[in-house]
Amino acid sequence: MPDGDVETIDKGGQWVNRVIGEPELSESFSSREEAVEAGRSLARQLGTAHIVVPSEPTGVITDPAE
């Protein structure tokens, strides 16, 4: 995936928009819909691609520290 592309992924029930090569632009969201909409908008602003990585919904946000 080229630098600048926006990838929407599930990380333990929390959805994250990760900007490849620019971690300071990454954001997290509590819902897939919210993350996809924001990721699409960010990719449009950056002039890059937006990829949504499929994931099975778990319905909970997990904390790996617990």
Side-chain angles (χ1 to χ4, degrees), residues 30-62:
S30 58
S31 75
R32 180 185 187 279
E33 294 77 19
E34 192 178 19
V36 169
E37 184 178 321
R40 191 175 295 137
S41 176
L42 180 57
R44 199 174 314 123
Q45 289 174 8
L46 296 173
T48 60
H50 177 228
I51 296 93
V52 179
V53 177
S55 176
E56 289 295 317
T58 62
V60 295
I61 296 174
T62 56

Side-chain angles (χ1 to χ4, degrees), residues 3-35:
D3 280 356
D5 280 359
V6 180
E7 179 180 50
T8 301
I9 59 173
D10 176 32
K11 287 191 142 191
Q14 185 172 29
W15 286 88
V16 176
N17 284 332
R18 184 173 70 163
V19 181
I20 307 304
E22 299 184 54
E24 68 278 2
L25 296 178
S26 299
E27 295 182 88
S28 61
F29 301 87
S30 58
S31 75
R32 180 185 187 279
E33 294 77 19
E34 192 178 19

